[in-house]
Each structure stands twice: as structure tokens, then as C-alpha cells.
Amino acid sequence: MPRPDERDPQPTFAFSDPGPDRADHLRDDPAALAERWAAGKVLLIDNEGQAAVDADRALLATDGATLDYAVAQPVFLGLSGEQAWFAARTTEVDTDAAPRIDLRSAAALWPAFEASLFAQARAVLHWQGRHRHCSVCGGAIEFQRGGWLGRCAACAAEHYPRTDPAVIVAITDGERLLLGRQASWPARRYSTLAGFVEPGESLEQTVAREVLEESGVRVRSSRYLASQPWPFPGSLMLGFMAQAEPDEPRASDELEDARWFTHDEIGAALRGETGDEGLLVSPSISISRWLIEQWHAHAGAARPR
């Protein structure tokens, strides 16, 4: 199968937009951040990780000048041109109730820049909400550097936002694609296999281990393609294409089923031509769908005409 190369289209899944310039140099300048706040835009995120929207479910960004900077305790997200963007919890500010949208829905509806902005805001605020006390001594955490550093008020230990790396893999035996499904998913939905990286493990080792554990299929080789931040709550999905032995898949604790699918079956699913009985694949916001599309396109190019 031909390998994807630099001529391939750029990833089109959710959160692949670079978002704002994170302007790290401003995080150490509280006075500059406070000055930017006055003309800044603020994403208001509630305790469920949902953002405020207008009647059309478009992003409803609040003007910083209408909120108290000290009370809001915002996260500085970065700059878009000269426009500063911040995020704050609705519980920290006095604001009228507004309709809400979750991140998955926003990823499918909003422009790419706004969806990536929301993903960044949700991930950092989620980290802050679950790291109020120092893991070293139990002291209270104070957030600094625009919300990106937690410093213990008692022992001065520093704490930073956590990102958990995970691999997600399109596995082929040269002719077919291996997909699995979890019991909680909608009927007929299958996806690429995925799993978290363990300490002391390379990404390639994780690919081989996770695929074997979840399906019983042995990976021969793997190659990195692309990544997707997945803030549910704080993962980074590292996308791979893997060559595997044509082993018979089996179910596991993680998957209620795993099976090989042909090029034609995958093509029908991508075109939505499966009716009420056929395969359903991952939604377009996910890197899983993109990996499936990449395999289908390149496997198709290699087929005899």
C-alpha cells in the first residue's frame, strides 16, 4: 500500500486548527494581561464544560470590559491578531444565563478556529478544577502565568496542565482494515483501536501492545501520521497506520467485537450507503474517521484496475 506523504491533504478533523497565538511571553506579565482584558473576548465555560452560545448555537463571546478581571480569574488563551482571548468559569462571574453547547457539538458546528479555542479553554479549566490542592503537601494551589501554572502556597511546588498521550491506529493486513467496537456505542458503530501510553513505553510499543491486548492481532510495523488534541478531558491522540498479521480477531475486556473489513465495506460506510444493517464508522470530527479515510484512499490507489 502506498504510504501517505507530504502531498496528502492536511487533517480535517476537529481541533486541528492551530487556534490563537498562545503568546507565552505575555503569561509572565500580569499587567499586560489585565490591559488586554479590557478589549478582550471571553469564553464562559460552566462546570459541565459547556460554552455559552446565542440563539443560533454560535459562539457567544463576552466582552472582557463587562467583567471584573480579578473576580473572573481567567485563563489567557492567546492572541488572534491584536484580539486577546480568555476563558473563565461562569461560577466566577455575574452573568445572565445563556444557552449552552458541549464541545463535541461545537466541533461539528463551529468554524475550526472557534472549536479549537473552545477545546483549549475546556481542557485548561478542567485541569484547574481538579487541581485545587498540591499533590506534594496538600496546600492550596494558586494559578499564575495566565492560568497555566499552579503554584502551591505552602511548599511552592509547581504544577502544570496534564496531557495524556494515547495512540489510535488504522491496522491493515494489506487487504483489509481492522476495526473494533465497544458495547456502549450505537449499534453497528466500529472504530479504529486506541489506548494510552504507559510509563517507559515508546509509541510504537504502545501500538503493538494495545492492538494485541484488544484484538489478539499481531502488529508487524507502524508509522505515525498525525495527532489530535482530545480534551475529554485531556488526551492527545497520536494517529498511526500499522501493518499486521492476518490473525483472526477476538473480543476482549475493552471491545465486544473486532473484525476485518474489506475495502468495499469501508467505502460504503464512508459514503453512507450501508442502509439499516451495514457498518457505521467514526464521526467526521475524530482522527479515527480521518485514519479510516486515509487507509481507504491509499489502499484503493494500490488496487489493480
Side-chain angles (χ1 to χ4, degrees), residues 18 20-27 76-79 116 120 124 148:
D21 172 2
R22 299 199 176 197
D24 180 80
H25 64 284
L26 290 177
R27 295 177 184 176
F76 173 60
L77 301 177
L79 302 174
S116 291
Q120 179 188 355
V124 179
W148 291 86

Side-chain angles (χ1 to χ4, degrees), residues 198-259:
E198 293 187 347
E201 189 175 53
S202 72
L203 299 179
E204 292 79 8
Q205 289 170 335
T206 305
V207 168
R209 176 183 56 78
E210 284 288 347
V211 173
L212 184 63
E213 289 177 355
E214 294 188 1
S215 70
V217 172
R218 295 166 295 165
V219 169
R220 297 200 308 264
S221 64
S222 61
R223 193 172 63 86
Y224 170 80
L225 292 186
S227 65
Q228 180 184 35
W230 196 245
F232 299 103
S235 300
L236 177 64
M237 307 304 294
L238 301 155
F240 281 78
M241 192 76 70
Q243 299 285 334
E245 302 291 348
D247 298 325
E248 185 64 27
R250 55 163 173 75
S252 64
D253 292 341
E254 294 288 334
L255 301 175
E256 72 165 13
D257 188 32
R259 66 178 68 172

Side-chain angles (χ1 to χ4, degrees), residues 110-282:
W110 288 4
F113 172 83
E114 295 181 356
S116 291
L117 199 71
F118 185 4
Q120 179 188 355
R122 185 185 187 280
V124 179
L125 289 174
H126 183 276
W127 166 72
Q128 285 191 355
R130 283 155 180 76
H131 291 79
R132 295 293 187 181
H133 298 278
C134 177
S135 60
V136 177
C137 74
I141 293 292
E142 298 174 348
F143 295 107
Q144 303 171 2
R145 297 201 77 241
W148 291 86
L149 167 65
R151 190 183 304 277
C152 177
C155 73
E158 295 183 348
H159 303 269
Y160 294 89
R162 173 175 172 170
T163 296
D164 298 318
V167 299
I168 185 164
V169 196
I171 305 137
T172 180
D173 65 355
E175 297 292 332
R176 302 170 297 174
L177 183 68
L178 179 68
L179 300 177
R181 65 167 277 106
Q182 296 181 10
S184 61
W185 290 352
R188 301 182 287 120
R189 168 69 57 78
Y190 282 75
S191 182
T192 50
L193 276 58
F196 286 103
V197 180
E198 293 187 347
E201 189 175 53
S202 72
L203 299 179
E204 292 79 8
Q205 289 170 335
T206 305
V207 168
R209 176 183 56 78
E210 284 288 347
V211 173
L212 184 63
E213 289 177 355
E214 294 188 1
S215 70
V217 172
R218 295 166 295 165
V219 169
R220 297 200 308 264
S221 64
S222 61
R223 193 172 63 86
Y224 170 80
L225 292 186
S227 65
Q228 180 184 35
W230 196 245
F232 299 103
S235 300
L236 177 64
M237 307 304 294
L238 301 155
F240 281 78
M241 192 76 70
Q243 299 285 334
E245 302 291 348
D247 298 325
E248 185 64 27
R250 55 163 173 75
S252 64
D253 292 341
E254 294 288 334
L255 301 175
E256 72 165 13
D257 188 32
R259 66 178 68 172
W260 294 107
F261 291 91
T262 68
H263 188 268
D264 289 341
E265 288 173 320
I266 295 296
L270 291 174
R271 295 188 298 271
E273 298 174 355
T274 56
D276 296 329
E277 301 296 331
L279 170 68
L280 298 177
V281 293
S282 311

